[in-house]
């Protein structure tokens, strides 16, 4: 008799645990990622006479899979804005972890501002540096 009750308890717990997962799948929009390829390479300001180089690979997170086509269509505009912003950075910003995080946040804001006149909405939720090399 105890086995029967234990089986019913486990089944009920299984349903309770799976309900939040089912609710998330139905109501929440699905995030999607777009990778800018090939990697972006540009130079940045240094203190001395030598030139600094940075190479990044960026994954752009959008709020919906439907926005992936828009990102792909405007990829040249996005690449230009990223290269322009990276080229204006100082060596301290590029090499420090805090500077990298500030740069990531600035990129999200600037890319959304650049794409807003083209798309009529802000479509970039976040972005990730999946490769970040500097010399």
């Amino acid at each position: 008799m105890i086995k029967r009750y234990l089986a019913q308890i486990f089944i009920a717990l299984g349903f309770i645990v799976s309900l939040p997962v089912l609710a998330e799948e139905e109501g929440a929009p699905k995030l999607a990622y777009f990778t800018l390829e090939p990697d972006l390479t540009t130079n940045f300001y240094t203190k001395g006479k030598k030139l600094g180089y940075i190479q990044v690979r960026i994954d752009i997170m959008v709020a919906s899979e439907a926005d992936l086509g828009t990102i792909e269509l405007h990829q040249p505009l996005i690449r230009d804005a990223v290269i322009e912003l990276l080229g204006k950075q100082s060596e301290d910003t590029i090499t420090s972890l805090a500077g990298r995080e500030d740069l990531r946040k600035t990129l999200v804001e600037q890319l959304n501002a650049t794409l807003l006149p083209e798309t009529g909405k802000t479509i970039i939720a976040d972005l990730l540096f999946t490769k970040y090399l500097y010399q």
Side-chain angles (χ1 to χ4, degrees):
M1 185 144 123
I2 293 176
K3 290 181 183 179
R4 191 173 96 197
Y5 288 123
L6 283 175
Q8 290 176 352
I9 290 172
F10 283 124
I11 290 172
L13 284 175
F15 283 127
I16 291 172
V17 170
S18 66
L19 284 177
V21 173
L22 293 174
E24 285 179 16
E25 291 176 1
E26 293 174 4
K30 297 194 178 193
L31 298 173
Y33 290 90
F34 182 84
T35 303
L36 288 177
E37 290 180 346
D39 298 346
L40 301 165
T41 304
T42 188
N43 52 5
F44 60 89
Y45 292 114
T46 60
K47 295 175 185 171
K49 291 184 178 181
K50 78 176 185 177
L51 208 51
Y53 292 97
I54 182 168
Q55 183 178 33
V56 295
R57 181 179 302 140
I58 296 176
D59 284 359
I60 298 173
M61 183 173 71
V62 293
S64 169
E65 289 181 9
D67 293 331
L68 287 176
T70 305
I71 294 291
E72 187 172 3
L73 178 67
H74 296 299
Q75 185 175 355
L77 184 63
I78 293 169
R79 292 176 70 81
D80 180 61
V82 171
I83 289 173
E84 184 178 342
L85 184 67
L86 288 175
K88 293 179 181 178
Q89 302 305 310
S90 67
E91 183 177 13
D92 295 333
T93 304
I94 297 289
T95 58
S96 70
L97 290 175
R100 183 186 313 182
E101 180 63 19
D102 290 341
L103 184 61
R104 187 189 65 77
K105 290 176 183 177
T106 304
L107 271 172
V108 171
E109 293 171 7
Q110 184 165 350
L111 290 177
N112 275 324
T114 302
L115 291 174
L116 185 61
E118 300 292 327
T119 62
K121 60 181 180 176
T122 57
I123 57 176
I124 297 177
D126 205 356
L127 66 82
L128 305 169
F129 291 119
T130 53
K131 181 181 195 181
Y132 192 91
L133 301 172
Y134 58 86
Q135 179 180 5

